[in-house]
Amino acid sequence: MAATHSPGDGRKGLSARILRDGTEPDPRFTLANERTFLAWIRTSLALLAGGVAVEAFMADLFVPDLRRSIAVLLLLLALVIGGGSFFRWLNVERAMRRKVPLPLPWIAPILAAGGALVAAAMVAFVLLSTA
């Protein structure tokens, strides 16, 4: 039976304060949680690159207001997903340690809504533009 987290179980300093209490989960679960965190970070970096690319390279294709709006939306999504991914990782890690149900990923609906907004703006642009 695993011992509960305490200052004497090997965790010290910042990690002991961040992870708080509970038992050490199976390392495979911790590593899977880390891979999920890294996937969110990759998504954030892709959104960041997309926002920069829209602003830098789409001046001839989009009107300035639409281009700026799409770029800002992509950059804001990158900011929220990148920042939120740490809190998602931490909340999942704490839940596993306490053996409670995993929290819902609140960054997923934000990403879905933001992606839908960008797609809607693009559809509107395509439908309203004269070729």
Side-chain angles (χ1 to χ4, degrees):
M1 183 169 163
T4 59
H5 177 73
S6 67
D9 73 354
R11 294 226 179 248
K12 296 182 180 177
L14 184 60
S15 64
R17 287 192 300 273
I18 289 175
L19 295 175
R20 297 187 191 148
D21 57 354
T23 59
E24 285 288 328
D26 185 319
R28 294 173 292 180
F29 299 138
T30 296
L31 292 171
N33 188 29
E34 185 176 319
R35 285 190 300 274
T36 303
F37 166 75
L38 293 172
W40 284 114
I41 292 297
R42 284 191 304 273
T43 302
S44 175
L45 289 172
L47 291 166
L48 178 67
V52 170
V54 166
E55 183 59 30
F57 302 117
M58 299 296 180
D60 296 338
L61 185 60
F62 299 131
V63 295
D65 288 341
L66 177 63
R67 185 184 76 241
R68 192 169 299 115
S69 296
I70 290 172
V72 166
L73 183 56
L74 289 170
L75 294 172
L76 286 174
L77 279 171
L79 177 70
V80 170
I81 300 302
S85 64
F86 168 75
F87 295 104
R88 170 73 183 158
W89 170 83
L90 184 59
N91 289 334
V92 168
E93 192 68 24
R94 286 177 177 168
M96 288 190 303
R97 294 171 149 276
R98 294 178 184 138
K99 299 186 185 338
V100 298
L102 298 180
L104 291 175
W106 60 266
I107 55 179
I110 292 171
L111 179 60
L117 280 173
V118 170
M122 295 300 296
V123 167
F125 172 75
V126 168
L127 291 176
L128 298 175
S129 67
T130 56

PDB file of all heavy atoms in Angstrom, residues 16 28 35 41 49 52-53 59 61-62 69-71 74 84 88 94 98 104 106 109 113 118 126-130:
ATOM      1  N   ALA A  16       6.708  19.566  -3.676  1.00  0.00           N
ATOM      2  CA  ALA A  16       5.891  19.173  -2.532  1.00  0.00           C
ATOM      3  C   ALA A  16       4.760  20.174  -2.316  1.00  0.00           C
ATOM      4  O   ALA A  16       3.634  19.791  -2.002  1.00  0.00           O
ATOM      5  CB  ALA A  16       6.743  19.069  -1.272  1.00  0.00           C
ATOM      6  N   ARG A  28       3.403   5.518 -15.257  1.00  0.00           N
ATOM      7  CA  ARG A  28       2.845   5.530 -16.618  1.00  0.00           C
ATOM      8  C   ARG A  28       1.741   6.566 -16.747  1.00  0.00           C
ATOM      9  O   ARG A  28       1.613   7.226 -17.782  1.00  0.00           O
ATOM     10  CB  ARG A  28       2.315   4.145 -16.996  1.00  0.00           C
ATOM     11  CG  ARG A  28       3.424   3.104 -17.115  1.00  0.00           C
ATOM     12  CD  ARG A  28       2.856   1.747 -17.316  1.00  0.00           C
ATOM     13  NE  ARG A  28       2.167   1.350 -16.079  1.00  0.00           N
ATOM     14  CZ  ARG A  28       1.556   0.204 -15.897  1.00  0.00           C
ATOM     15  NH1 ARG A  28       1.503  -0.679 -16.878  1.00  0.00           N
ATOM     16  NH2 ARG A  28       0.979  -0.091 -14.759  1.00  0.00           N
ATOM     17  N   ARG A  35       2.523  13.806 -21.492  1.00  0.00           N
ATOM     18  CA  ARG A  35       2.380  13.793 -22.961  1.00  0.00           C
ATOM     19  C   ARG A  35       1.169  14.605 -23.399  1.00  0.00           C
ATOM     20  O   ARG A  35       1.212  15.312 -24.413  1.00  0.00           O
ATOM     21  CB  ARG A  35       2.276  12.357 -23.477  1.00  0.00           C
ATOM     22  CG  ARG A  35       3.594  11.612 -23.468  1.00  0.00           C
ATOM     23  CD  ARG A  35       3.501  10.285 -24.205  1.00  0.00           C
ATOM     24  NE  ARG A  35       2.516   9.371 -23.648  1.00  0.00           N
ATOM     25  CZ  ARG A  35       2.749   8.528 -22.640  1.00  0.00           C
ATOM     26  NH1 ARG A  35       3.955   8.478 -22.082  1.00  0.00           N
ATOM     27  NH2 ARG A  35       1.793   7.729 -22.211  1.00  0.00           N
ATOM     28  N   ILE A  41       0.589  22.037 -25.542  1.00  0.00           N
ATOM     29  CA  ILE A  41       1.619  23.040 -25.849  1.00  0.00           C
ATOM     30  C   ILE A  41       1.870  23.083 -27.355  1.00  0.00           C
ATOM     31  O   ILE A  41       2.000  24.154 -27.950  1.00  0.00           O
ATOM     32  CB  ILE A  41       2.923  22.738 -25.069  1.00  0.00           C
ATOM     33  CG1 ILE A  41       2.709  22.951 -23.571  1.00  0.00           C
ATOM     34  CG2 ILE A  41       4.080  23.588 -25.575  1.00  0.00           C
ATOM     35  CD1 ILE A  41       2.373  24.376 -23.168  1.00  0.00           C
ATOM     36  N   ALA A  49       1.890  30.192 -34.354  1.00  0.00           N
ATOM     37  CA  ALA A  49       2.479  30.291 -35.692  1.00  0.00           C
ATOM     38  C   ALA A  49       1.426  30.689 -36.717  1.00  0.00           C
ATOM     39  O   ALA A  49       1.698  31.499 -37.616  1.00  0.00           O
ATOM     40  CB  ALA A  49       3.120  28.954 -36.072  1.00  0.00           C
ATOM     41  N   VAL A  52       0.681  34.468 -36.371  1.00  0.00           N
ATOM     42  CA  VAL A  52       1.784  35.259 -36.936  1.00  0.00           C
ATOM     43  C   VAL A  52       1.756  35.169 -38.463  1.00  0.00           C
ATOM     44  O   VAL A  52       1.918  36.169 -39.162  1.00  0.00           O
ATOM     45  CB  VAL A  52       3.139  34.782 -36.364  1.00  0.00           C
ATOM     46  CG1 VAL A  52       4.299  35.404 -37.112  1.00  0.00           C
ATOM     47  CG2 VAL A  52       3.223  35.111 -34.879  1.00  0.00           C
ATOM     48  N   ALA A  53       1.518  33.979 -38.986  1.00  0.00           N
ATOM     49  CA  ALA A  53       1.490  33.794 -40.442  1.00  0.00           C
ATOM     50  C   ALA A  53       0.360  34.574 -41.090  1.00  0.00           C
ATOM     51  O   ALA A  53       0.550  35.204 -42.139  1.00  0.00           O
ATOM     52  CB  ALA A  53       1.367  32.305 -40.778  1.00  0.00           C
ATOM     53  N   ALA A  59      -1.630  39.748 -46.174  1.00  0.00           N
ATOM     54  CA  ALA A  59      -2.041  41.129 -46.441  1.00  0.00           C
ATOM     55  C   ALA A  59      -2.704  41.267 -47.805  1.00  0.00           C
ATOM     56  O   ALA A  59      -3.627  42.064 -47.973  1.00  0.00           O
ATOM     57  CB  ALA A  59      -0.833  42.062 -46.334  1.00  0.00           C
ATOM     58  N   LEU A  61      -4.457  38.971 -49.346  1.00  0.00           N
ATOM     59  CA  LEU A  61      -5.648  38.139 -49.448  1.00  0.00           C
ATOM     60  C   LEU A  61      -6.820  38.680 -48.635  1.00  0.00           C
ATOM     61  O   LEU A  61      -7.954  38.675 -49.105  1.00  0.00           O
ATOM     62  CB  LEU A  61      -5.307  36.714 -49.002  1.00  0.00           C
ATOM     63  CG  LEU A  61      -6.391  35.661 -49.157  1.00  0.00           C
ATOM     64  CD1 LEU A  61      -6.805  35.522 -50.622  1.00  0.00           C
ATOM     65  CD2 LEU A  61      -5.896  34.328 -48.632  1.00  0.00           C
ATOM     66  N   PHE A  62      -6.566  39.135 -47.423  1.00  0.00           N
ATOM     67  CA  PHE A  62      -7.631  39.581 -46.527  1.00  0.00           C
ATOM     68  C   PHE A  62      -7.615  41.093 -46.368  1.00  0.00           C
ATOM     69  O   PHE A  62      -6.553  41.721 -46.391  1.00  0.00           O
ATOM     70  CB  PHE A  62      -7.463  38.963 -45.124  1.00  0.00           C
ATOM     71  CG  PHE A  62      -7.518  37.468 -45.100  1.00  0.00           C
ATOM     72  CD1 PHE A  62      -6.541  36.742 -44.444  1.00  0.00           C
ATOM     73  CD2 PHE A  62      -8.545  36.779 -45.711  1.00  0.00           C
ATOM     74  CE1 PHE A  62      -6.593  35.361 -44.401  1.00  0.00           C
ATOM     75  CE2 PHE A  62      -8.605  35.399 -45.674  1.00  0.00           C
ATOM     76  CZ  PHE A  62      -7.636  34.694 -45.017  1.00  0.00           C
ATOM     77  N   SER A  69      -8.288  40.541 -37.129  1.00  0.00           N
ATOM     78  CA  SER A  69      -9.199  39.816 -36.232  1.00  0.00           C
ATOM     79  C   SER A  69      -8.843  38.339 -36.159  1.00  0.00           C
ATOM     80  O   SER A  69      -8.818  37.752 -35.073  1.00  0.00           O
ATOM     81  CB  SER A  69     -10.643  39.974 -36.709  1.00  0.00           C
ATOM     82  OG  SER A  69     -11.035  41.316 -36.641  1.00  0.00           O
ATOM     83  N   ILE A  70      -8.586  37.729 -37.301  1.00  0.00           N
ATOM     84  CA  ILE A  70      -8.227  36.310 -37.311  1.00  0.00           C
ATOM     85  C   ILE A  70      -6.890  36.100 -36.610  1.00  0.00           C
ATOM     86  O   ILE A  70      -6.742  35.178 -35.799  1.00  0.00           O
ATOM     87  CB  ILE A  70      -8.198  35.767 -38.755  1.00  0.00           C
ATOM     88  CG1 ILE A  70      -9.619  35.705 -39.311  1.00  0.00           C
ATOM     89  CG2 ILE A  70      -7.539  34.384 -38.813  1.00  0.00           C
ATOM     90  CD1 ILE A  70      -9.695  35.362 -40.774  1.00  0.00           C
ATOM     91  N   ALA A  71      -5.926  36.958 -36.881  1.00  0.00           N
ATOM     92  CA  ALA A  71      -4.608  36.823 -36.236  1.00  0.00           C
ATOM     93  C   ALA A  71      -4.728  36.975 -34.721  1.00  0.00           C
ATOM     94  O   ALA A  71      -4.156  36.170 -33.969  1.00  0.00           O
ATOM     95  CB  ALA A  71      -3.638  37.853 -36.807  1.00  0.00           C
ATOM     96  N   LEU A  74      -6.397  33.886 -33.160  1.00  0.00           N
ATOM     97  CA  LEU A  74      -5.454  32.762 -33.094  1.00  0.00           C
ATOM     98  C   LEU A  74      -4.414  32.974 -31.994  1.00  0.00           C
ATOM     99  O   LEU A  74      -4.071  32.034 -31.260  1.00  0.00           O
ATOM    100  CB  LEU A  74      -4.772  32.558 -34.443  1.00  0.00           C
ATOM    101  CG  LEU A  74      -5.667  31.999 -35.556  1.00  0.00           C
ATOM    102  CD1 LEU A  74      -4.944  32.084 -36.896  1.00  0.00           C
ATOM    103  CD2 LEU A  74      -6.090  30.586 -35.250  1.00  0.00           C
ATOM    104  N   GLY A  84      -3.392  27.554 -20.038  1.00  0.00           N
ATOM    105  CA  GLY A  84      -4.324  26.611 -19.435  1.00  0.00           C
ATOM    106  C   GLY A  84      -3.788  25.199 -19.368  1.00  0.00           C
ATOM    107  O   GLY A  84      -4.198  24.414 -18.512  1.00  0.00           O
ATOM    108  N   ARG A  88      -4.244  22.440 -16.417  1.00  0.00           N
ATOM    109  CA  ARG A  88      -4.854  21.146 -16.731  1.00  0.00           C
ATOM    110  C   ARG A  88      -3.942  20.016 -16.241  1.00  0.00           C
ATOM    111  O   ARG A  88      -4.399  19.075 -15.589  1.00  0.00           O
ATOM    112  CB  ARG A  88      -5.081  21.034 -18.243  1.00  0.00           C
ATOM    113  CG  ARG A  88      -5.477  19.676 -18.723  1.00  0.00           C
ATOM    114  CD  ARG A  88      -6.891  19.324 -18.370  1.00  0.00           C
ATOM    115  NE  ARG A  88      -7.182  17.955 -18.815  1.00  0.00           N
ATOM    116  CZ  ARG A  88      -8.129  17.220 -18.321  1.00  0.00           C
ATOM    117  NH1 ARG A  88      -8.922  17.688 -17.394  1.00  0.00           N
ATOM    118  NH2 ARG A  88      -8.323  16.001 -18.756  1.00  0.00           N
ATOM    119  N   ARG A  94      -2.994  16.132  -9.572  1.00  0.00           N
ATOM    120  CA  ARG A  94      -3.542  16.136  -8.211  1.00  0.00           C
ATOM    121  C   ARG A  94      -4.702  15.146  -8.087  1.00  0.00           C
ATOM    122  O   ARG A  94      -4.819  14.444  -7.079  1.00  0.00           O
ATOM    123  CB  ARG A  94      -4.007  17.536  -7.831  1.00  0.00           C
ATOM    124  CG  ARG A  94      -2.864  18.479  -7.529  1.00  0.00           C
ATOM    125  CD  ARG A  94      -3.385  19.869  -7.242  1.00  0.00           C
ATOM    126  NE  ARG A  94      -2.306  20.771  -6.877  1.00  0.00           N
ATOM    127  CZ  ARG A  94      -2.448  22.083  -6.794  1.00  0.00           C
ATOM    128  NH1 ARG A  94      -3.621  22.645  -7.041  1.00  0.00           N
ATOM    129  NH2 ARG A  94      -1.416  22.848  -6.470  1.00  0.00           N
ATOM    130  N   ARG A  98      -4.979  11.867  -5.566  1.00  0.00           N
ATOM    131  CA  ARG A  98      -6.051  11.750  -4.573  1.00  0.00           C
ATOM    132  C   ARG A  98      -7.044  10.646  -4.921  1.00  0.00           C
ATOM    133  O   ARG A  98      -7.997  10.422  -4.175  1.00  0.00           O
ATOM    134  CB  ARG A  98      -6.776  13.084  -4.456  1.00  0.00           C
ATOM    135  CG  ARG A  98      -5.885  14.159  -3.894  1.00  0.00           C
ATOM    136  CD  ARG A  98      -6.600  15.480  -3.828  1.00  0.00           C
ATOM    137  NE  ARG A  98      -5.683  16.503  -3.373  1.00  0.00           N
ATOM    138  CZ  ARG A  98      -5.614  17.718  -3.873  1.00  0.00           C
ATOM    139  NH1 ARG A  98      -6.415  18.090  -4.851  1.00  0.00           N
ATOM    140  NH2 ARG A  98      -4.743  18.579  -3.405  1.00  0.00           N
ATOM    141  N   LEU A 104     -12.818  17.850 -15.911  1.00  0.00           N
ATOM    142  CA  LEU A 104     -13.104  18.062 -17.323  1.00  0.00           C
ATOM    143  C   LEU A 104     -12.088  19.038 -17.908  1.00  0.00           C
ATOM    144  O   LEU A 104     -11.663  19.978 -17.227  1.00  0.00           O
ATOM    145  CB  LEU A 104     -14.515  18.612 -17.505  1.00  0.00           C
ATOM    146  CG  LEU A 104     -15.641  17.644 -17.179  1.00  0.00           C
ATOM    147  CD1 LEU A 104     -16.990  18.348 -17.279  1.00  0.00           C
ATOM    148  CD2 LEU A 104     -15.601  16.451 -18.107  1.00  0.00           C
ATOM    149  N   TRP A 106     -11.458  22.086 -19.463  1.00  0.00           N
ATOM    150  CA  TRP A 106     -12.137  23.331 -19.850  1.00  0.00           C
ATOM    151  C   TRP A 106     -11.473  24.009 -21.036  1.00  0.00           C
ATOM    152  O   TRP A 106     -12.104  24.827 -21.709  1.00  0.00           O
ATOM    153  CB  TRP A 106     -12.240  24.283 -18.660  1.00  0.00           C
ATOM    154  CG  TRP A 106     -10.917  24.683 -18.078  1.00  0.00           C
ATOM    155  CD1 TRP A 106     -10.280  24.090 -17.034  1.00  0.00           C
ATOM    156  CD2 TRP A 106     -10.061  25.732 -18.511  1.00  0.00           C
ATOM    157  NE1 TRP A 106      -9.074  24.707 -16.801  1.00  0.00           N
ATOM    158  CE2 TRP A 106      -8.913  25.728 -17.696  1.00  0.00           C
ATOM    159  CE3 TRP A 106     -10.150  26.694 -19.512  1.00  0.00           C
ATOM    160  CZ2 TRP A 106      -7.880  26.633 -17.854  1.00  0.00           C
ATOM    161  CZ3 TRP A 106      -9.112  27.590 -19.670  1.00  0.00           C
ATOM    162  CH2 TRP A 106      -7.999  27.551 -18.846  1.00  0.00           C
ATOM    163  N   PRO A 109     -13.319  23.068 -24.846  1.00  0.00           N
ATOM    164  CA  PRO A 109     -14.393  23.847 -25.461  1.00  0.00           C
ATOM    165  C   PRO A 109     -13.946  25.248 -25.894  1.00  0.00           C
ATOM    166  O   PRO A 109     -14.468  25.790 -26.874  1.00  0.00           O
ATOM    167  CB  PRO A 109     -15.472  23.924 -24.382  1.00  0.00           C
ATOM    168  CG  PRO A 109     -14.884  23.400 -23.140  1.00  0.00           C
ATOM    169  CD  PRO A 109     -13.639  22.643 -23.488  1.00  0.00           C
ATOM    170  N   ALA A 113     -14.514  26.420 -29.654  1.00  0.00           N
ATOM    171  CA  ALA A 113     -15.248  27.650 -29.959  1.00  0.00           C
ATOM    172  C   ALA A 113     -14.372  28.624 -30.751  1.00  0.00           C
ATOM    173  O   ALA A 113     -14.838  29.237 -31.724  1.00  0.00           O
ATOM    174  CB  ALA A 113     -15.738  28.305 -28.667  1.00  0.00           C
ATOM    175  N   VAL A 118     -12.904  31.165 -36.041  1.00  0.00           N
ATOM    176  CA  VAL A 118     -11.966  31.387 -37.151  1.00  0.00           C
ATOM    177  C   VAL A 118     -12.532  30.773 -38.431  1.00  0.00           C
ATOM    178  O   VAL A 118     -12.514  31.403 -39.494  1.00  0.00           O
ATOM    179  CB  VAL A 118     -10.572  30.800 -36.829  1.00  0.00           C
ATOM    180  CG1 VAL A 118      -9.681  30.803 -38.056  1.00  0.00           C
ATOM    181  CG2 VAL A 118      -9.917  31.589 -35.708  1.00  0.00           C
ATOM    182  N   VAL A 126     -14.947  33.805 -47.732  1.00  0.00           N
ATOM    183  CA  VAL A 126     -15.001  33.107 -49.028  1.00  0.00           C
ATOM    184  C   VAL A 126     -16.333  33.350 -49.726  1.00  0.00           C
ATOM    185  O   VAL A 126     -16.391  33.594 -50.926  1.00  0.00           O
ATOM    186  CB  VAL A 126     -14.738  31.591 -48.832  1.00  0.00           C
ATOM    187  CG1 VAL A 126     -15.070  30.806 -50.083  1.00  0.00           C
ATOM    188  CG2 VAL A 126     -13.303  31.357 -48.412  1.00  0.00           C
ATOM    189  N   LEU A 127     -17.421  33.290 -48.959  1.00  0.00           N
ATOM    190  CA  LEU A 127     -18.746  33.472 -49.560  1.00  0.00           C
ATOM    191  C   LEU A 127     -18.990  34.917 -50.017  1.00  0.00           C
ATOM    192  O   LEU A 127     -19.698  35.142 -50.999  1.00  0.00           O
ATOM    193  CB  LEU A 127     -19.833  33.046 -48.582  1.00  0.00           C
ATOM    194  CG  LEU A 127     -19.919  31.557 -48.287  1.00  0.00           C
ATOM    195  CD1 LEU A 127     -20.976  31.282 -47.209  1.00  0.00           C
ATOM    196  CD2 LEU A 127     -20.224  30.765 -49.544  1.00  0.00           C
ATOM    197  N   LEU A 128     -18.434  35.869 -49.293  1.00  0.00           N
ATOM    198  CA  LEU A 128     -18.698  37.275 -49.601  1.00  0.00           C
ATOM    199  C   LEU A 128     -17.682  37.899 -50.545  1.00  0.00           C
ATOM    200  O   LEU A 128     -17.921  38.987 -51.072  1.00  0.00           O
ATOM    201  CB  LEU A 128     -18.766  38.085 -48.305  1.00  0.00           C
ATOM    202  CG  LEU A 128     -19.892  37.687 -47.340  1.00  0.00           C
ATOM    203  CD1 LEU A 128     -19.782  38.459 -46.049  1.00  0.00           C
ATOM    204  CD2 LEU A 128     -21.260  37.871 -47.990  1.00  0.00           C
ATOM    205  N   SER A 129     -16.557  37.250 -50.740  1.00  0.00           N
ATOM    206  CA  SER A 129     -15.540  37.831 -51.604  1.00  0.00           C
ATOM    207  C   SER A 129     -15.910  37.631 -53.072  1.00  0.00           C
ATOM    208  O   SER A 129     -16.546  36.653 -53.444  1.00  0.00           O
ATOM    209  CB  SER A 129     -14.167  37.222 -51.327  1.00  0.00           C
ATOM    210  OG  SER A 129     -14.150  35.879 -51.710  1.00  0.00           O
ATOM    211  N   THR A 130     -15.518  38.576 -53.876  1.00  0.00           N
ATOM    212  CA  THR A 130     -15.747  38.442 -55.314  1.00  0.00           C
ATOM    213  C   THR A 130     -14.461  37.963 -55.945  1.00  0.00           C
ATOM    214  O   THR A 130     -13.392  38.535 -55.749  1.00  0.00           O
ATOM    215  CB  THR A 130     -16.173  39.791 -55.924  1.00  0.00           C
ATOM    216  OG1 THR A 130     -15.183  40.764 -55.630  1.00  0.00           O
ATOM    217  CG2 THR A 130     -17.510  40.221 -55.380  1.00  0.00           C
TER     218      THR A 130
END
